[in-house]
Amino acid sequence: MNHTKVAVIGSLNMDIVVETPRHPQVGETLLGDRVRFIPGGKGANQAVAAARLGAKALMIGAVGDDAFGQELLSALERDGVDVTGVKRLSGTATGIASIYVSEGDNSIVAVPGANGQVQPEDIDRNAEKLEQADIVLLQLETPVETALYAARKAKELGKTVVLNPAPAQPLPEELFRCADFVTPNRTELSGYTGIAADGNTLGAAMRRLQELGAANVVTTLGAGGSAYLDENGEVRLAMGHPVPVVDTTGAGDCFNAALAVSIAQGRSLREAVEYAALASALAVTKFGAQAGMPTEEEVRLFAAERA
């Protein structure tokens, strides 16, 4: 049995997903096709993905005392995620994300709500979960100071830290130094380094992030797959897998969770990136961030088909 444990410190949102024939322009009103209320949030998405990929996911975060908060906790519990590290805040709204989906692509506006009140003391209160974990997975939909505090704590405990630096925002270099793996997408990488992450300059941007303190850099490239730096600082590519795209929401979260689970299981960086590419390809073939997360068995079968 797989006893890998992944501690996920991050956001829980209710995704309000509006399907539209196209994305609206500024000042324009469109009639949408459909609206759905779907559990999401980068942290919760990654916890579900890790659980479905065979790990024990330990979630640390916050929700409000509203109906959305209870629904999010119930959804995590159905996937076997340990939610005892999620606090419920009286008089505070649960975080939400308004997601517009058109032709398989999406744009998102998130309102943090309770996610903005995840504090360093919450990390201390759940120190036992960090001690139990094989790897710690962080994102930036909770306060940066809390992510930094969690990363410090994890390193003090000798844990491997994966930082998904999204959404992009100013970060202290110490946070990069505390991360064993930093996983920006192309746009985030350009923002953090000031170097266009395209073509021949991709490697320069990734190496610049290492100079800022990241031990290992993995960059997601959308349909183009992903890239990582080998031990010599050279760019290695992991190709994407062409699949019918239904919804790209949560694909990056699936990639990060699969990468973290793989690393915790002792796979090499190349093997972990290739596994994450398989998992995230499957994630876009279903609607909804958490609903689309594949199981360990589904990834195994998909890999066999691609072999």
Side-chain angles (χ1 to χ4, degrees), residues 244-256:
V245 176
V246 174
D247 181 9
T248 59
T249 310
D253 297 328
C254 183
F255 184 96
N256 277 274

Side-chain angles (χ1 to χ4, degrees), residues 43-134:
N45 292 347
Q46 292 177 11
V48 168
R52 291 192 181 181
L53 292 172
K56 177 63 176 178
L58 313 169
M59 183 78 216
I60 298 172
V63 295
D65 60 350
D66 49 22
F68 280 169
Q70 183 54 55
E71 189 171 346
L72 294 179
L73 293 178
S74 297
L76 289 174
E77 289 177 323
R78 285 195 294 271
D79 272 300
V81 177
D82 181 342
V83 299
T84 56
V86 179
K87 66 179 180 181
R88 297 202 66 171
L89 296 171
S90 177
T92 300
T94 297
I96 64 101
S98 293
I99 303 175
Y100 296 90
V101 177
S102 176
E103 298 179 343
D105 211 344
N106 67 74
S107 57
I108 303 172
V109 178
V111 180
N115 296 312
Q117 297 188 43
V118 180
Q119 303 296 328
E121 52 262 36
D122 297 316
I123 307 304
D124 288 335
R125 186 166 55 251
N126 291 284
E128 184 178 348
K129 296 187 187 305
L130 296 187
E131 292 173 359
Q132 294 173 359
D134 299 295

Side-chain angles (χ1 to χ4, degrees), residues 108-282:
I108 303 172
V109 178
V111 180
N115 296 312
Q117 297 188 43
V118 180
Q119 303 296 328
E121 52 262 36
D122 297 316
I123 307 304
D124 288 335
R125 186 166 55 251
N126 291 284
E128 184 178 348
K129 296 187 187 305
L130 296 187
E131 292 173 359
Q132 294 173 359
D134 299 295
I135 197 163
V136 176
L137 182 52
L138 305 169
Q139 330 77 34
L140 301 175
E141 288 183 339
T142 52
V144 169
E145 58 268 27
T146 304
L148 176 58
Y149 188 84
R152 286 177 185 152
K153 271 293 193 192
K155 296 316 296 178
E156 289 173 6
L157 294 169
K159 305 300 179 180
T160 299
V161 174
V162 177
L163 171 64
N164 176 210
Q169 55 194 286
L171 295 179
E173 289 186 14
E174 184 185 356
L175 184 51
F176 291 126
R177 293 195 297 271
C178 286
D180 298 280
F181 299 87
V182 180
T183 62
N185 64 24
R186 196 196 305 266
T187 302
E188 292 154 0
L189 178 63
S190 297
Y192 286 122
T193 64
I195 300 173
D198 296 308
N200 294 333
T201 60
L202 176 61
M206 295 175 73
R207 286 187 285 272
R208 174 56 182 153
L209 199 57
Q210 280 193 324
E211 292 171 2
L212 293 175
N216 294 278
V217 179
V218 179
T219 303
T220 54
L221 306 172
S226 55
Y228 64 96
L229 295 178
D230 65 16
E231 61 274 11
N232 298 315
E234 297 298 321
V235 175
R236 302 297 178 194
L237 295 177
M239 300 307 295
H241 300 278
V243 293
V245 176
V246 174
D247 181 9
T248 59
T249 310
D253 297 328
C254 183
F255 184 96
N256 277 274
L259 185 78
V261 170
S262 297
I263 291 167
Q265 292 173 342
R267 292 188 177 103
S268 68
L269 179 55
R270 177 185 63 81
E271 293 169 331
V273 170
E274 291 176 350
Y275 183 80
L278 289 163
S280 57
L282 285 175

